[in-house]
Amino acid sequence: MPKVRMNAVSRLSLLLWLMMLAPLAFYAQAVVAPAIAIAQAGPVRDIRVVGNRRVEPETVRSYLQFSVGDSYDADKVDRSLKALFATGLFSDVRIERDGAAAVVTVVENPVVNQVAFEGNSEVDTATLQTEVQLKPRAVFTRSRVQSDVQRILDVYRRQGRFAATVEPKIIELEQNRVNLVFEIAEGGATKVKGINFIGNRAFSDSQLRDIVSTTQTGWFDFLKGTSIYDPDRLGLDRELLRQYYLKNGYADARVVAAGAELDRDGSGFFITFSIEEGELYTFGDVRIESALPAVQTDRLGGDVLTKRGTVYNGSDIDKTVEKLTLNVAEQGFAFARVRPRATPDTASRTISLLYSIDEGPRIYIERINIIGNVRTKDYVIRREFRLAEGDAYNPLLVDRAKKRLTALGLFQSAEVKRRPGSSADRVALDVEVVEQSTGELSFGAGFSTSEGVIGDVSITERNLLGNGQFLRLKLAGSVERYQIDLSFTEPRFLDRNLSAGFDLFHKETDQSRQSGFKSRKSGGSLRLGFPISENLWVQTSYTLARDEIFDVESGASIAVRDACGDRTIPALIPPGTSAPCSDPSYWTSALGTSVTYDARNHPRNPTRGTYFQLASDFAGLGGDVNYIRVQGEGRAYYPITEKITFVGRAVAGHIEGWGGEDVRLLDLFFKGGETVRGFERSGIGPRDITVGGDRDSLGGQTFWAATAEVRFPFPFIPDDLGMSGALFVDAGSVFGNKRAQDLLGANLADDSSVRSAVGASILWNSPVGPLRVDYAIPLTKEAYDEEQRFRFGASTKF
């Protein structure tokens, strides 16, 4: 840029010009600028809306914080801008002053013409459409798009697909419309590779894995969804663990943390639960006190489940409170409330309980509203309440009803919310449920040394037609057995605490290798069950069945041929053929009763508790056979240490004909390695020892068996592998066969002597299901018994 040289004359001219302009600048600042400011701050004479196409001008003006006649205030303008942007209708808004008018210039957001999803195969489009907020004809905003992206990601994360990504694409159309496309990359499902526990001493990792609802990944994950990581499920699992510890004596137990860590390659999560178990407590003194003088506390002792000296059980406290509340209400105190007060003694590790009874507020239930049940009928939900409209409101009974609803397994969640009624002493209860799938298709497979390959498939519906009824069709079979069962159960028969149902069955068994015949059994039964106490259950049944024996081998025992009505001399039957049966089938009409007591601390892997069952059958109410059969079983579990458990088991049974009839072959007890390990299937008991015969097992009228087993973890093997060992002693016997004795005489080997065996086992809760290997050495046996020292069993459900 060229330089400009100024001489003295030029400088003087510039100075004169500046002196002349100075008064003009002063005038503009002192007179013109204030005039403009006064005009801007003056009252607004008009409000014009510019740029709107769909939105009416009056709609825009309704969001402004000033109106015609108001002064033009910067604060009001700022608040107006925020209000207009908050509507979501506009992508840009400006407010300017044009003389005495205010001009509002808007740029409208486009309207959504269509919402589409691309790349989704694991989640159907209908599900995604219900999740997103943007719909056709809705106003498009970028904030809503980002919100919908997050909602879609949440859907995929609930299905365990944490690697999923969503990219929104906008296609602009004419008339200020857009098409919105969500491009989805689903990624792989993120499974749970491992579930570990820290701080657990009383229960092994494998036992606690049975308690939580989340499962580890396995071979058959495609048939179940519990192995997919779901962060929402962790809260449920924490509560399940806490309740399990409270039920088993650990009153101070806490699940202090539940964390999930993604592995390095991002393919799976490792879940870790940190547990503080505390000490094992038993119940100390248990007392009942009442602030209501008329309450007869001496009538309440039978409702107390928490007995002195027994292991602390938080569930028994809740059930006792419910029972006491109902009993007191039946005495005429509808508003009475029962509150348990626990006093722990850390020195003796006991917890004393005081059940305090007083009077609660007088409030009545005006209405019970059922909300959210699309499939389940109202009465299925209402019958879980021990309350009805018009009854006294009792928070405890309402809470127990909520727990019973959850325990049904029909709902993802069940909440009971209280609202004020039409007056101060009235309340309305809103029962809000979220239904879940109740149908189930399951498969099972396995292998055993006694039956070879075994398998089953079942279809189950736990809420048939919304009535809360149970229906299952099951097919099971192996090389030597085929079975089909259809079961139906009404859990609340006549809306009472009665379980009623029926069973239809057909079973075919191949006992050719053990006894030289095959058999089939077809029929049905009706049953009715009811609880006597918390752990005691009674069931009665009537069974009508047709038994048939067929394909009797040519060398079969005379007792076997007699069972099918055949009197042919064996020498006249060609070798390798089946003997014909002239009377192969008969009908059984029997009435049965069973009593079951179950106080175990775990349904599958107990370490403490007892189990007893006594069953009897009386046949002869019509039909072709007359007999009385009694069977019993008892089990006991005792923890020697935190890791070692002693298991004792005893079983026995006897069947006797009446009315001058002998017991038929198919009704006798055939026992072997499943009862006393170390022996073949049907390997002990009465046997035909005729020279040149097949030495067929003929079954006995009486059997007994006892087992003593010590289970322990393997040293140096991590608990999370689920492997353990056992040492056992088995003993038992099968004897007594009057019909065979009459037919065979000295050729029948029948002895009530004790058969016994000792051995060891390896147990493994493997990823494909439980595996068990037993090796037993018989100690005492008869010469005609058949041994099988090695037994292997494996099965899985998926």
Side-chain angles (χ1 to χ4, degrees):
M1 183 176 180
K3 296 182 178 180
V4 179
R5 296 181 180 273
M6 298 182 64
N7 53 26
V9 177
S10 299
R11 294 191 185 96
L12 181 60
S13 300
L14 179 60
L15 181 61
L16 291 173
W17 274 104
L18 291 174
M19 292 175 64
M20 294 174 62
L21 291 173
L24 294 176
F26 174 79
Y27 175 80
Q29 183 176 1
V31 178
V32 178
I36 295 175
I38 292 172
Q40 293 284 349
V44 177
R45 301 301 182 186
D46 186 24
I47 299 176
R48 298 199 304 271
V49 179
V50 180
N52 59 307
R53 304 173 111 185
R54 301 185 313 275
V55 183
E56 294 294 330
E58 284 304 319
T59 301
V60 176
R61 295 188 183 100
S62 67
Y63 288 99
L64 298 178
Q65 305 300 306
F66 60 89
S67 57
V68 174
D70 293 342
S71 61
Y72 189 82
D73 181 78
D75 180 63
K76 292 182 178 180
V77 170
D78 182 64
R79 286 188 284 120
S80 299
L81 289 171
K82 291 178 179 179
L84 287 169
F85 274 115
T87 65
L89 298 173
F90 311 106
S91 60
D92 189 25
V93 180
R94 298 194 312 275
I95 301 178
E96 300 170 323
R97 188 68 185 266
D98 183 12
V103 180
V104 183
T105 304
V106 297
V107 178
E108 294 178 346
N109 277 319
V111 173
V112 177
N113 179 65
Q114 183 180 0
V115 179
F117 304 90
E118 294 182 357
N120 58 307
S121 59
E122 295 298 326
V123 181
D124 58 82
T125 300
T127 300
L128 295 177
Q129 286 175 338
T130 59
E131 288 291 331
V132 298
Q133 286 186 332
L134 283 172
K135 312 285 185 183
R137 294 186 298 277
V139 176
F140 173 90
T141 66
R142 296 194 178 274
S143 61
R144 288 184 180 177
V145 172
Q146 294 305 316
S147 177
D148 285 344
V149 167
Q150 188 59 47
R151 284 186 173 86
I152 295 172
L153 290 174
D154 289 342
V155 172
Y156 278 95
R157 286 173 181 171
R158 287 197 295 269
Q159 296 199 4
R161 296 183 177 272
F162 284 78
T165 60
V166 179
E167 185 70 26
K169 299 292 184 180
I170 302 169
I171 302 173
E172 296 185 358
L173 306 174
E174 59 184 6
Q175 298 180 354
N176 201 26
R177 295 176 301 135
V178 295
N179 285 342
L180 177 61
V181 180
F182 292 101
E183 295 182 354
I184 302 171
E186 295 182 322
T190 312
K191 300 295 184 68
V192 177
K193 286 190 172 182
I195 302 176
N196 304 309
F197 302 88
I198 299 174
N200 56 310
R201 304 184 315 275
F203 305 103
S204 66
D205 285 11
S206 60
Q207 286 178 300
L208 296 181
R209 289 192 193 103
D210 287 338
I211 300 303
V212 298
S213 61
T214 305
T215 58
Q216 296 181 144
T217 185
W219 290 2
F220 305 104
D221 290 342
F222 63 94
L223 292 171
K224 59 182 181 179
T226 54
S227 64
I228 297 174
Y229 174 67
D230 183 355
D232 295 335
R233 196 183 292 130
L234 286 186
L236 170 62
D237 289 340
R238 292 183 65 166
E239 181 61 18
L240 290 174
L241 288 171
R242 190 183 74 88
Q243 292 294 336
Y244 182 68
Y245 270 96
L246 290 177
K247 183 180 178 181
N248 287 283
Y250 294 88
D252 298 329
R254 295 190 308 129
V255 182
V256 295
E261 294 185 2
L262 193 64
D263 61 0
R264 293 182 178 179
D265 60 4
S267 61
F269 279 92
F270 288 89
I271 297 176
T272 303
F273 295 95
S274 297
I275 300 171
E276 290 182 1
E277 290 184 338
E279 299 294 335
L280 178 67
Y281 284 86
T282 57
F283 285 117
D285 292 332
V286 179
R287 296 181 296 120
I288 301 175
E289 288 186 359
S290 175
L292 306 175
V295 172
Q296 303 176 33
T297 56
D298 56 330
R299 292 175 49 187
L300 303 177
D303 294 326
V304 177
L305 303 176
T306 53
K307 306 297 183 181
R308 179 184 175 87
T310 59
V311 175
Y312 176 86
N313 188 328
S315 176
D316 283 347
I317 296 176
D318 293 338
K319 293 171 183 175
T320 298
V321 170
E322 181 180 9
K323 285 177 175 288
L324 292 175
T325 302
L326 291 173
N327 194 322
V328 172
E330 289 174 357
Q331 294 185 33
F333 299 92
F335 299 98
R337 59 185 178 187
V338 180
R339 290 181 289 185
R341 296 175 183 173
T343 305
D345 185 346
T346 56
S348 62
R349 286 188 293 183
T350 60
I351 295 179
S352 298
L353 282 175
L354 172 64
Y355 294 101
S356 176
I357 304 173
D358 58 13
E359 188 170 15
R362 292 180 172 270
I363 301 176
Y364 297 90
I365 299 174
E366 186 175 49
R367 294 186 313 279
I368 299 178
N369 303 314
I370 311 298
I371 302 171
N373 55 319
V374 178
R375 183 185 180 197
T376 307
K377 296 177 181 177
D378 276 12
Y379 77 88
V380 175
I381 299 172
R382 291 182 183 274
R383 69 189 181 190
E384 298 303 321
F385 284 77
R386 303 296 184 261
L387 299 165
E389 282 135 345
D391 287 351
Y393 172 73
N394 190 307
L396 168 69
L397 298 183
V398 172
D399 182 65
R400 295 297 298 166
K402 173 188 171 183
K403 292 180 179 179
R404 281 192 291 268
L405 284 175
T406 303
L408 289 176
L410 308 181
F411 310 108
Q412 288 183 7
S413 63
E415 297 291 337
V416 182
K417 298 181 179 179
R418 170 181 166 179
R419 291 189 295 105
S422 58
S423 60
D425 63 345
R426 296 288 188 272
V427 294
L429 300 180
D430 292 336
V431 184
E432 299 180 358
V433 297
V434 178
E435 294 180 320
Q436 66 180 1
S437 175
T438 54
E440 179 182 333
L441 173 64
S442 67
F443 302 84
F447 178 83
S448 73
T449 50
S450 60
E451 294 190 58
V453 177
I454 57 177
D456 67 73
V457 57
S458 64
I459 302 173
T460 304
E461 174 54 61
R462 292 178 286 110
N463 190 14
L464 183 65
L465 301 177
N467 294 316
Q469 299 162 335
F470 176 91
L471 181 68
R472 181 177 66 187
L473 175 65
K474 181 178 181 180
L475 290 84
S478 67
V479 176
E480 298 183 346
R481 174 178 54 88
Y482 169 74
Q483 185 172 350
I484 181 170
D485 298 280
L486 177 66
S487 298
F488 170 83
T489 301
E490 168 55 72
R492 292 289 187 272
F493 184 58
L494 300 178
D495 284 336
R496 298 179 179 272
N497 198 14
L498 299 173
S499 173
F502 67 84
D503 302 288
L504 301 176
F505 52 84
H506 175 79
K507 180 180 181 180
E508 294 190 8
T509 306
D510 186 353
Q511 294 179 248
S512 301
R513 184 168 56 87
Q514 298 87 10
S515 304
F517 68 89
K518 298 178 182 178
S519 65
R520 63 172 62 99
K521 187 183 188 75
S522 304
S525 62
L526 300 174
R527 47 188 161 76
L528 179 69
F530 54 92
I532 294 179
S533 65
E534 190 61 36
N535 299 316
L536 191 61
W537 182 266
V538 174
Q539 180 166 296
T540 60
S541 64
Y542 170 76
T543 301
L544 180 64
R546 180 177 181 271
D547 291 86
E548 181 180 1
I549 185 171
F550 64 99
D551 285 355
V552 176
E553 295 186 350
S554 59
S557 169
I558 294 175
V560 175
R561 296 198 306 276
D562 174 75
C564 70
D566 176 37
R567 306 294 184 269
T568 306
I569 300 174
L572 300 179
I573 302 175
T577 63
S578 298
C581 289
S582 60
D583 187 18
S585 65
Y586 60 92
W587 288 91
T588 300
S589 174
L591 183 66
T593 303
S594 67
V595 180
T596 304
Y597 175 81
D598 191 350
R600 296 173 296 173
N601 65 345
H602 192 285
R604 293 176 55 187
N605 296 306
T607 58
R608 180 186 293 107
T610 54
Y611 172 90
F612 298 100
Q613 186 178 69
L614 181 65
S616 65
D617 295 289
F618 179 84
L621 304 174
D624 302 319
V625 296
N626 300 333
Y627 65 74
I628 298 174
R629 179 171 54 201
V630 179
Q631 297 183 78
E633 179 181 7
R635 302 180 214 161
Y637 303 85
Y638 178 77
I640 300 175
T641 68
E642 292 179 349
K643 300 290 186 180
I644 301 175
T645 303
F646 172 80
V647 181
R649 177 175 180 261
V651 293
H654 178 75
I655 184 170
E656 190 71 38
W658 64 275
E661 289 198 13
D662 292 323
V663 179
R664 306 254 182 152
L665 177 69
L666 298 183
D667 296 322
L668 295 169
F669 299 111
F670 290 82
K671 300 295 179 180
E674 76 285 351
T675 307
V676 181
R677 284 164 285 193
F679 293 90
E680 175 67 85
R681 179 185 176 193
S682 301
I684 61 175
R687 188 176 297 275
D688 186 345
I689 57 173
T690 302
V691 176
D694 292 338
R695 300 176 65 85
D696 291 333
S697 174
L698 301 178
Q701 292 180 237
T702 304
F703 83 95
W704 68 269
T707 295
E709 183 172 286
V710 177
R711 299 175 183 173
F712 53 87
F714 285 120
F716 312 115
I717 295 180
D719 288 343
D720 56 7
L721 290 180
M723 295 189 68
S724 61
L727 299 175
F728 61 83
V729 178
D730 288 349
S733 184
V734 182
F735 55 91
N737 190 327
K738 295 179 181 179
R739 181 63 178 170
Q741 183 65 51
D742 294 341
L743 293 170
L744 296 172
N747 288 326
L748 176 68
D750 184 3
D751 198 304
S752 61
S753 61
V754 176
R755 280 76 159 179
S756 62
V758 297
S761 304
I762 297 175
L763 298 85
W764 182 25
N765 287 323
S766 71
V768 298
L771 306 177
R772 179 165 186 143
V773 179
D774 297 318
Y775 184 79
I777 302 174
L779 297 179
T780 58
K781 66 184 185 68
E782 295 298 322
Y784 54 85
D785 292 335
E786 297 185 0
E787 297 184 18
Q788 184 186 60
R789 297 193 173 191
F790 176 80
R791 286 178 63 86
F792 171 77
S795 65
T796 185
K797 283 287 185 182
F798 46 88

